[in-house]
Amino acid sequence: MQHRRQLPWRETTHPYPIWLSEIMLQQTRVAQGLPYFLKFMEAFPTVADMANAPEEKVLHLWQGLGYYSRARNLHATAKEVTFNMNGKFPKSFSGLLKLKGVGDYTAAAIASIAYGEAVPVVDGNVYRVLSRVFGIETDISSSGAKKEFTALAASLLPPGQASNFNQAMMEFGALQCVPKNPDCTICIFNQTCVAYNTGRVNQLPVKLKKQKVTDRFFNYLIIKDANGRTLVNRRGDKGIWHGLYEFPLLETPAALSKEETVVLIQSFKNLGFTPKNISIINTEPVIHKLSHQKQHIWFWEVITDTELPEAVEKEHLKTIPLPIVLHNFATEYWP
């Protein structure tokens, strides 16, 4: 383990920081997740601190990390552990699986690292290492792949060394057996690695299933009332951004011309006022890519002489959770 990265959650066996880091690092690179981990640990030194915080604060700190369901599950689990489990995380793989947002991988990581339970961790890094070293051509997105790779990883676990083995496998995949152009000439397995010795490093692991990406077209209205304040709405209980705030939104099935969009905004009954002036802020759309959708976003400035009691000062936007694309816009628009 002398080559492992020095990471704060690796310096402890306490389940709270291990759990927090594993939730954060789901579909997130360590370099991106580390500042968030430190920020969360400063704001919530214990699981009880997180449980007692409003969800809005948790979402605000999470802003920019994406996949916001992770943050909502994080908060729900913190409350479950604090209020229903006397502040103690379950001490077994099976018990950890009962926590919201904790799947096989996360439960195995916590159980092996915090408690030394002999359960293998199988994530994208482990899939890659095992498929290459053993020459496994099973499609890792197929229904049987998880069972096959978990069984293989379990057979390799050295007695009493689950924590070190699992962390070593994840580190090896992250640092040496990387997805593209790994330096196999310095790899300790290059004498026995099937992929390297058969010229299939770039073909393994096999992943055939691709997620369909949907194009969506958003027009956000930056409404300025008679007092120079603006409107924001809190999203409801559906969608990837539920619980976050956003500007009033008009979504269209396709991109419209500037003239068509102005007419649409003028007829938007939910405004509750007659716009004095409408102007486009960005003529080229901001492109925001998610795993399952590609958003084409335009921002429109809508001026009214009406005083809107529900409008907020621009400084208020710094205190509430916004999707990162809206946060970035607001930061640039109101420097």
Side-chain angles (χ1 to χ4, degrees):
M1 295 290 285
Q2 67 265 33
H3 298 296
R4 70 176 183 177
R5 291 167 290 185
Q6 297 299 310
L7 301 169
W9 52 85
R10 296 271 170 78
E11 310 303 321
T12 179
T13 57
H14 194 287
Y16 172 61
I18 296 172
W19 162 73
L20 177 60
S21 70
E22 292 299 339
I23 298 296
M24 284 187 166
L25 295 180
Q26 293 171 5
Q27 298 172 300
T28 299
R29 294 175 294 103
V30 168
Q32 182 186 10
L34 178 57
Y36 283 87
F37 174 85
L38 297 174
K39 185 168 57 175
F40 264 72
M41 288 300 295
E42 181 180 3
F44 313 121
T46 69
V47 67
D49 292 318
M50 187 185 297
N52 287 297
E55 182 185 74
E56 200 166 290
K57 182 176 180 179
V58 175
L59 289 172
H60 188 242
L61 286 174
W62 192 272
Q63 184 173 272
L65 206 50
Y67 298 98
Y68 286 89
S69 60
R70 293 181 296 169
R72 289 185 284 270
N73 289 338
L74 198 75
H75 192 230
T77 290
K79 292 194 289 186
E80 174 71 12
V81 170
T82 299
F83 303 129
N84 298 330
M85 299 180 174
N86 297 316
K88 305 293 184 182
F89 280 84
K91 293 187 176 182
S92 68
F93 172 78
S94 59
L96 289 161
L97 276 177
K98 297 176 182 178
L99 299 177
K100 195 167 185 178
V102 174
D104 289 347
Y105 160 74
T106 304
I110 300 170
S112 62
I113 298 171
Y115 306 122
E117 186 175 348
V119 285
V121 166
V122 179
D123 68 348
N125 289 319
V126 176
Y127 273 123
R128 187 165 57 256
V129 172
L130 294 179
S131 66
R132 286 174 174 171
V133 171
F134 292 93
I136 300 172
E137 296 185 350
T138 301
D139 178 4
I140 63 173
S141 64
S142 65
S143 58
K146 184 177 179 181
K147 183 177 181 180
E148 179 182 354
F149 281 88
T150 299
L152 176 56
S155 72
L156 300 171
L157 275 176
Q161 294 294 317
S163 175
N164 283 341
F165 177 82
N166 284 335
Q167 292 184 74
M169 286 288 284
M170 291 186 287
E171 285 289 85
F172 189 78
L175 301 177
Q176 172 60 37
C177 195
V178 294
K180 295 182 179 180
N181 303 315
D183 187 355
C184 298
T185 62
I186 63 170
C187 178
I188 59 173
F189 296 118
N190 61 19
Q191 295 298 311
T192 56
C193 175
V194 174
Y196 179 59
N197 288 290
T198 59
R200 289 183 291 156
V201 171
N202 292 328
Q203 283 75 53
L204 294 174
V206 174
K207 186 175 183 181
L208 301 178
K209 188 183 295 182
K210 291 187 177 180
Q211 189 171 22
K212 183 180 179 181
V213 177
T214 303
D215 284 288
R216 300 183 70 180
F217 304 89
F218 293 170
N219 292 276
Y220 281 108
L221 310 185
I222 312 304
I223 297 171
K224 293 183 178 180
D225 76 351
N227 296 318
R229 301 186 304 167
T230 192
L231 286 179
V232 287
N233 306 313
R234 191 170 189 267
R235 291 180 65 97
D237 294 333
K238 293 183 179 180
I240 57 172
W241 289 343
H242 77 76
L244 305 184
Y245 288 81
E246 65 178 358
F247 303 106
L249 169 65
L250 282 173
E251 181 175 359
T252 58
L256 302 180
S257 69
K258 178 180 176 181
E259 292 73 21
E260 289 172 325
T261 308
V262 169
V263 171
L264 185 62
I265 294 172
Q266 289 173 331
S267 63
F268 188 37
K269 296 180 180 179
N270 288 350
L271 286 180
F273 61 84
T274 301
K276 177 183 177 182
N277 185 58
I278 300 172
S279 59
I280 192 167
I281 297 172
N282 57 308
T283 54
E284 293 297 321
V286 172
I287 303 299
H288 185 57
K289 295 182 179 179
L290 302 174
S291 61
H292 61 295
Q293 61 182 250
K294 180 180 179 182
Q295 299 173 350
H296 306 252
I297 302 174
W298 291 268
F299 295 94
W300 295 81
E301 186 177 76
V302 180
I303 307 295
T304 176
D305 288 334
T306 305
E307 182 178 331
L308 304 175
E310 65 272 31
V312 300
E313 301 289 345
K314 61 184 180 182
E315 288 77 13
H316 181 68
L317 300 177
K318 300 176 183 178
T319 68
I320 57 177
L322 298 165
I324 190 62
V325 65
L326 301 188
H327 168 77
N328 290 342
F329 166 79
T331 301
E332 183 176 340
Y333 188 70
W334 288 291

